[in-house]
């Protein structure tokens, strides 16, 4: 055989052997519809597995042909993770892992050399070696890290069944047709439209029911639907050219998304007809927080038997219910979207976006009232659902249920922005203001008086979670071309939906008007939450008459009453009300002092550093609210004294160590250490209230400041002292709290 014939023969053999496999790899990218590829399964299941991991990360496993298997990390990328996170129901991917970071899987390795662009609807559409074709071992199992936010309409379960459908409805809106209504938010009435290709399409209202409207209103963030004046809209529809994508909807009324309802889609050649009908129109009833009229707000005022705690955004948080006079948690066993939606609607929001498990919004304190809650979805209250009572063995607070609800779109994020920061979560705050003639412009906020609570509102308005810090100077961030101060004197409670709802000067008044003194924020998806062990205070209280010669250090640190300065030192004694305090971090991030180590103050007398000027206020109040004695505690040392099972200690004071309180750990201050007291030498016998407030100046960010105060009834006969009814500030109902204190309460440390 001559050389040319031999070469042609080799080429022929090469094409015959290799071309089919090459084509098999490239077919999915040419034909993006998975149903068009015979090698692609019609239905797949996905799950996250492995250890240790959080709920939104893990080894990716695929169920195909009756068997679970893994994906090899060869050629793996963030784009692959993006597709897989979407299929798991998350909004996006934040990372991926190789080399079996979450442990080695078992069974098949279903996919290898996967290459996605990131926009594919299914991993099966991406290039790969084909199903079951791999040269990997389980040492190369890939993992994904998804953003902790679910796509609309996805059930919060670990195993997600996916069937790619080009006709799936993902985005829905209410389009107002009255010019006045189109400028007013929230939009509570309008034509129902669904996203279709690059535009919007309508739904034919033939057979439209109130249950369909209920689902739409729930998606839009509203608890209820109401009848609509169809005659007005019929006249409007006759003048419009409509594009009907859906001609039949049959919701049960309990669905959380229109995509979960049975839908009949029009074919392409019939999308402009709706025989005998018109575009579907829905009118919704807003909840109390979003009602347009004050009269409606009064009419809608609900009874508070359920609440959300610990959330950063409106309509999210740990679920707590009121039983008798005390609030308690809900266990996450069998917790699902239908039960979560009952909570959301009861609170004046729409249906639930997510039913969260595993204390994803922090751990509660006190009792757990409900377990295995099962709702039909139509109940007016969570208490009307079927549930089991709790026994001590059933649940712990690590299983507290939480929700994220659909809330009305208000557009608040369009009137605020942050600039100059090193990441999207930090920067100088700029707000949009209107000129006298109506031309809008961006301006700065005066940093004077700006603190954690104001930063909380700014971060919430921006949709960036919690506030880590509120900054009064921002000279270290690059300045934009915005230099004018347009807002000053901002004072927020911390609950407002936007900075515009906070108190502020009508006319700008700012002593330092340079841009370097503008307000700034550092936001975070997680933060701490401190709470005091009220029972321990009650159990450990006693009186000690301590000789003055043992109190020199305490006097130096200002831990005694003012009258101590006039005492005949070192003779005599001071009468001290002593107790232990145990402070638990139940949040989702460590509690760290605001000041860095370089600015901690060394106290030679006690031989330790103070990382915070004031960590706790101790107050003894008369029954009318007047303070009769007080104490304060600098953070002698923030450290992990004890931790829950499975949680490692991270902070200790020895050897100038890092200070803080880890999530799931407590910082214990025993009754026998200096300044762990109130000096009651000058207090007369009588009935009082003991009040303890943690982080009283809001110096460090927390998800919830309402649980920072503890109160006890106190009886002092001149020789002995008794405490009873000690409780966290938000543990009781409003009515019970009013009966307890009989005065407005006090949250500052000024003796009147």
């Amino acid at each position: 055989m001559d050389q040319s014939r031999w070469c042609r023969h080799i080429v022929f053999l090469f094409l015959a052997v290799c071309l089919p496999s090459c084509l098999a790899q490239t077919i999915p990218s040419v034909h993006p519809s998975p149903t068009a590829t015979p090698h692609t399964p019609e239905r797949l299941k996905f799950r996250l597995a492995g250890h240790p991991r959080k709920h939104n990360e893990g080894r990716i496993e695929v169920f195909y042909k009756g068997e679970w298997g893994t994906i090899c990390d060869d050629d793996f990328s963030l784009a692959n993770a993006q597709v897989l996170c979407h299929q798991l129901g998350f909004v996006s991917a934040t990372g991926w892992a190789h080399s079996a970071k979450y442990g080695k899987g078992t069974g098949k390795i279903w996919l290898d050399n996967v290459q996605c662009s990131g926009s594919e609807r299914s991993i099966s559409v991406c290039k790969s070696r084909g199903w079951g074709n791999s040269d990997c071992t389980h040492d190369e199992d890939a993992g994904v890290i998804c953003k902790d936010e679910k796509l609309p309409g996805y059930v919060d379960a670990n195993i997600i069944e996916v069937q790619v459908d080009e006709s799936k409805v993902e985005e829905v809106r209410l389009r107002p047709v009255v010019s006045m209504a189109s400028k007013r938010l929230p939009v509570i009435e309008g034509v129902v439209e669904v996203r279709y290709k690059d535009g919007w399409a309508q739904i034919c209202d033939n057979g439209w029911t109130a249950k369909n409207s209920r689902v739409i209103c729930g998606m839009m963030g509203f608890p209820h639907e109401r009848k609509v004046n169809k005659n007005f809209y019929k006249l409007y529809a006759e003048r419009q050219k409509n594009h009907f994508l859906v001609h039949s909807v049959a919701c049960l009324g309990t669905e959380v998304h229109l995509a979960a309802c049975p839908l009949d889609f029009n074919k392409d050649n019939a999308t402009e007809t709706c025989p005998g009908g018109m575009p579907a129109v829905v009118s919704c009833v807003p909840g109390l927080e979003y009602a347009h009229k004050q009269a409606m707000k009064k009419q809608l005022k609900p009874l508070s038997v359920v609440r959300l705690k610990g959330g950063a955004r409106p309509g999210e948080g740990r679920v707590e219910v009121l039983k008798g006079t005390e609030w308690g948690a809900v266990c996450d066993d069998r917790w699902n979207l239908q039960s979560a939606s009952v909570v959301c609607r009861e609170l004046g929001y729409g249906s639930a976006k997510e039913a969260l498990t595993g204390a994803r919004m922090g751990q509660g304190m006190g009792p757990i009232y409900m377990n295995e809650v099962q709702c039909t979805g139509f109940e007016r209250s969570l208490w009307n659902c079927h549930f089991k009572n709790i026994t001590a063995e059933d649940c712990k607070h690590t299983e507290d249920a939480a929700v994220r609800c659909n809330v009305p779109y208000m557009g608040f994020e369009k009137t605020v922005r942050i600039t100059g920061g090193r990441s999207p979560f930090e920067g100088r705050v700029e707000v949009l203001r209107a000129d006298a003639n109506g031309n809008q412009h961006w301006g700065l906020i005066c940093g004077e008086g700006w603190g954690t609570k104001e930063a909380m509102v700014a971060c919430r308005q921006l949709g960036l979670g919690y506030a880590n810090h509120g900054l009064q100077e921002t000279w270290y961030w690059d300045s934009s071309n915005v230099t004018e101060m347009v807002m000053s004197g901002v004072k927020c409670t911390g609950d407002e939906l936007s900075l515009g709802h906070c108190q502020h000067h009508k006319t700008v008044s700012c002593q330092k008007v340079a841009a370097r003194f503008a307000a700034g924020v550092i936001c975070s998806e997680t933060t701490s939450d401190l709470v005091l062990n009220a029972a321990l205070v009650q159990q450990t209280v006693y009186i000690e008459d301590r000789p003055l010669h043992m109190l020199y250090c305490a006097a130096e640190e200002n831990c005694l009453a003012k009258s101590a300065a006039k005492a005949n030192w070192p003779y005599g004694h001071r009468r001290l009300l002593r107790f232990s305090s145990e402070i638990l971090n139940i949040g989702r991030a460590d509690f760290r002092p605001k000041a860095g180590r370089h600015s901690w103050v060394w106290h030679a007398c006690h031989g330790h550093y103070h990382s915070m000027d004031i960590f706790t206020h101790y107050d003894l109040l008369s029954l009318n609210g007047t303070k009769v004695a007080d104490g304060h505690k600098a953070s002698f040392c923030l450290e992990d004294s004890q931790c829950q099972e499975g949680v490692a200690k991270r902070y200790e004071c020895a050897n100038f160590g890092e200070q803080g309180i880890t999530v799931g750990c407590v910082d214990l201050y025993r009754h026998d250490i200096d300044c762990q007291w109130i000096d009651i030498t000058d207090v007369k016998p009588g009935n009082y209230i003991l009040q303890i407030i943690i982080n009283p100046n809001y110096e460090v960010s927390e998800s919830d400041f309402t649980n920072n105060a503890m109160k006890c009834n106190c009886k002092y006969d001149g020789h002995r002292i008794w405490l009873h009814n000690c409780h966290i500030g938000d543990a009781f109902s409003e009515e019970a709290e009013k009966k307890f204190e009989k005065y407005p309460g006090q949250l500052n440390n000024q003796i009147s």
Side-chain angles (χ1 to χ4, degrees):
M1 184 182 295
D2 62 19
Q3 187 173 356
S4 61
R5 289 180 62 193
W6 181 83
C7 289
R8 287 196 299 270
H9 185 68
I10 291 297
V11 171
F12 177 80
L13 285 174
F14 175 81
L15 292 174
V17 173
C18 298
L19 189 57
S21 62
C22 293
L23 288 174
Q25 291 187 47
T26 58
I27 281 175
S29 64
V30 177
H31 304 283
S33 173
T35 56
T37 305
H39 300 291
T40 301
E42 292 185 359
R43 184 175 291 274
L44 303 173
K45 292 183 183 179
F46 295 84
R47 70 183 180 190
L48 293 173
H51 186 79
R53 68 180 185 89
K54 298 178 182 177
H55 67 280
N56 57 321
E57 63 178 331
R59 181 177 65 249
I60 185 70
E61 296 191 349
V62 189
F63 189 76
Y64 173 52
K65 288 191 174 179
E67 186 176 352
W68 286 102
T70 62
I71 298 177
C72 182
D73 62 13
D74 290 350
D75 293 332
F76 210 84
S77 67
L78 187 63
N80 295 0
Q82 181 81 1
V83 174
L84 287 163
C85 285
H86 270 169
Q87 294 200 263
L88 284 160
F90 294 96
V91 295
S92 63
T94 59
W96 63 279
H98 59 84
S99 304
K101 175 186 175 182
Y102 300 101
K104 294 188 287 187
T106 58
K108 294 277 192 180
I109 299 177
W110 278 124
L111 292 171
D112 188 8
N113 296 113
V114 180
Q115 298 177 48
C116 304
S117 68
S119 60
E120 293 85 353
R121 300 287 294 275
S122 171
I123 195 72
S124 60
V125 183
C126 302
K127 293 181 181 180
S128 75
R129 295 179 61 148
W131 289 93
N133 185 4
S134 172
D135 59 0
C136 297
T137 67
H138 283 294
D139 290 314
E140 302 168 84
D141 284 345
V144 296
I145 303 103
C146 305
K147 185 178 180 182
D148 187 12
E149 184 179 343
K150 286 283 188 169
L151 290 167
Y154 273 95
V155 179
D156 187 50
N158 188 33
I159 300 175
I160 306 292
E161 294 191 11
V162 176
Q163 185 169 13
V164 178
D165 184 355
E166 295 297 332
S167 298
K168 184 177 179 181
V169 171
E170 292 185 348
E171 194 173 349
V172 182
R173 74 176 184 183
L174 280 184
R175 180 171 60 83
V177 299
V178 181
S179 59
M180 199 68 156
S182 63
K183 298 178 182 178
R184 196 174 195 183
L185 293 175
V187 175
I188 60 175
E189 182 176 304
V191 176
V192 182
E193 295 188 330
V194 297
R195 174 71 73 179
Y196 180 64
K197 295 181 179 178
D198 294 329
W200 295 88
Q202 291 76 45
I203 299 176
C204 181
D205 75 342
N206 285 335
W208 188 265
T209 66
K211 291 180 178 179
N212 296 345
S213 297
R214 187 174 193 267
V215 172
I216 297 295
C217 289
M219 290 178 65
M220 299 296 113
F222 305 114
H224 308 294
E225 77 289 348
R226 60 186 169 197
K227 289 185 177 180
V228 67
N229 182 358
K230 290 187 66 174
N231 291 330
F232 167 78
Y233 284 95
K234 194 167 185 178
L235 290 171
Y236 167 81
E238 290 173 353
R239 302 172 188 162
Q240 304 295 316
K241 183 178 181 181
N242 296 300
H243 184 95
F244 295 101
L245 178 65
V246 181
H247 70 77
S248 176
V249 179
C251 298
L252 298 175
T254 57
E255 297 87 348
V256 298
H257 197 281
L258 185 64
C261 301
L263 305 174
D264 285 337
F265 289 86
N266 280 323
K267 295 181 181 179
D268 287 342
N269 59 357
T271 53
E272 296 184 5
T273 60
C274 176
M278 56 178 267
V281 177
V282 166
S283 183
C284 305
V285 179
L288 171 66
E289 200 170 358
Y290 298 93
H292 284 158
K293 297 179 181 178
Q294 290 297 325
M296 185 181 290
K297 290 188 177 184
K298 293 179 182 178
Q299 181 183 351
L300 291 171
K301 189 172 184 179
L303 295 173
S304 298
V305 295
V306 63
R307 69 182 182 184
L308 302 181
K309 301 288 284 183
R313 300 171 180 84
E316 72 173 26
R318 181 177 63 253
V319 179
E320 294 187 350
V321 291
L322 184 65
K323 185 177 182 181
T325 60
E326 189 172 5
W327 291 96
V330 176
C331 188
D332 63 10
D333 292 349
R334 304 186 75 169
W335 186 246
N336 61 21
L337 282 169
Q338 283 188 319
S339 300
S341 291
V342 171
V343 170
C344 291
R345 291 181 188 270
E346 185 176 359
L347 289 168
Y349 302 113
S351 51
K353 285 196 293 188
E354 293 184 63
L356 306 172
T357 59
R360 295 260 299 281
M361 291 291 174
Q363 298 180 31
M365 296 287 287
I368 302 175
Y369 288 136
M370 300 172 119
N371 187 24
E372 296 190 19
V373 179
Q374 292 179 273
C375 303
T376 64
F378 287 107
E379 293 86 353
R380 304 286 290 186
S381 171
L382 196 66
W383 283 111
N384 299 139
C385 301
H386 177 77
F387 64 92
K388 290 185 178 179
N389 291 316
I390 292 290
T391 63
E393 296 79 23
D394 282 338
C395 287
K396 298 179 181 178
H397 281 295
T398 53
E399 302 169 80
D400 285 350
V403 298
R404 283 196 179 107
C405 306
N406 286 312
V407 298
Y409 177 71
M410 300 298 294
F412 291 136
E413 78 286 353
K414 292 183 177 180
T415 59
V416 66
R417 69 185 184 188
I418 51 177
T419 61
R422 297 159 297 181
S423 79
F425 284 83
E426 67 179 27
R428 183 179 291 120
V429 181
E430 297 179 0
V431 290
L432 193 62
R433 281 288 178 267
D435 295 328
N437 58 3
N439 295 329
Q440 291 184 323
H441 70 282
W442 292 97
L444 304 175
I445 298 176
C446 180
E448 295 167 12
W450 181 266
T452 301
K453 287 196 169 184
E454 290 70 40
M456 287 170 62
V457 177
C459 291
R460 179 181 300 121
Q461 186 176 353
L462 287 159
L464 296 179
Y466 307 95
N468 262 0
H469 298 293
L471 306 166
Q472 296 185 358
E473 294 186 17
T474 52
W475 53 266
Y476 37 79
W477 282 328
D478 293 335
S479 176
S480 67
N481 57 359
V482 176
T483 57
E484 181 189 358
M485 294 282 183
V486 298
M487 200 174 187
S488 65
V490 180
K491 192 60 61 180
C492 305
T493 65
D495 298 322
E496 295 88 349
L497 296 178
S498 79
L499 290 170
H501 295 163
C502 300
Q503 294 181 5
H504 58 275
H505 294 154
K506 291 183 178 179
T507 304
V508 176
S509 175
C510 186
Q511 293 183 357
K512 300 177 180 178
V513 295
R516 60 177 293 181
F517 299 111
V521 294
I522 300 177
C523 306
S524 173
E525 286 287 345
T526 58
T527 192
S528 60
D529 187 15
L530 298 188
V531 65
L532 188 71
N533 184 340
L536 184 65
V537 174
Q538 185 167 320
Q539 293 163 8
T540 57
V541 68
Y542 66 97
I543 287 177
E544 179 191 12
D545 289 334
R546 193 164 182 81
L548 283 173
H549 69 83
M550 301 177 69
L551 291 172
Y552 279 104
C553 278
E556 181 184 308
E557 297 197 4
N558 197 30
C559 294
L560 300 174
K562 291 180 180 178
S563 63
K566 302 176 183 178
N568 185 23
W569 291 77
Y571 308 105
H573 67 271
R574 303 298 294 181
R575 175 156 288 185
L576 307 176
L577 171 61
R578 308 199 69 150
F579 47 85
S580 296
S581 65
E582 187 180 74
I583 298 166
L584 172 65
N585 184 358
I586 62 173
R588 293 191 290 153
D590 296 352
F591 183 92
R592 300 296 310 279
K594 183 178 181 180
R597 291 168 57 141
H598 63 280
S599 59
W600 294 355
V601 180
W602 172 256
H603 282 249
C605 195
H606 284 134
H608 55 234
Y609 284 92
H610 286 196
S611 59
M612 293 176 67
D613 291 335
I614 298 291
F615 180 52
T616 313
H617 281 168
Y618 301 145
D619 303 320
L620 194 66
L621 311 173
S622 67
L623 295 183
N624 66 5
T626 302
K627 189 183 297 186
V628 296
D630 68 354
H632 80 273
K633 185 170 187 59
S635 59
F636 282 174
C637 169
L638 293 173
E639 68 177 1
D640 297 327
S641 304
Q642 302 166 7
C643 296
Q644 295 175 351
E645 184 179 352
V647 179
K649 295 181 181 179
R650 298 182 61 185
Y651 305 105
E652 61 177 345
C653 296
N655 303 317
F656 195 36
E658 289 289 349
Q659 293 193 24
I661 308 176
T662 303
V663 175
C665 296
V666 298
D667 187 9
L668 175 63
Y669 294 93
R670 286 174 50 88
H671 56 83
D672 53 0
I673 65 174
D674 262 4
C675 296
Q676 187 59 36
W677 63 56
I678 298 177
D679 184 348
I680 60 169
T681 305
D682 306 320
V683 175
K684 297 177 181 179
N687 293 320
Y688 300 95
I689 289 176
L690 172 66
Q691 177 176 271
I692 300 176
I693 306 175
I694 309 166
N695 192 17
N697 299 332
Y698 315 112
E699 191 173 323
V700 178
S701 165
E702 296 186 52
S703 61
D704 186 3
F705 287 111
T706 63
N707 59 10
N708 282 30
M710 187 220 72
K711 296 177 184 176
C712 304
N713 288 117
C714 176
K715 182 177 182 181
Y716 175 48
D717 67 0
H719 305 284
R720 294 171 296 175
I721 201 157
W722 295 267
L723 295 183
H724 64 279
N725 205 17
C726 292
H727 65 282
I728 301 302
D730 66 342
F732 288 173
S733 67
E734 290 183 22
E735 293 76 14
E737 194 65 28
K738 287 176 183 176
K739 291 179 182 177
F740 172 86
E741 55 188 12
K742 296 182 180 178
Y743 68 93
Q746 183 170 320
L747 290 177
N748 63 57
N749 209 37
Q750 305 300 314
I751 296 179
S752 55

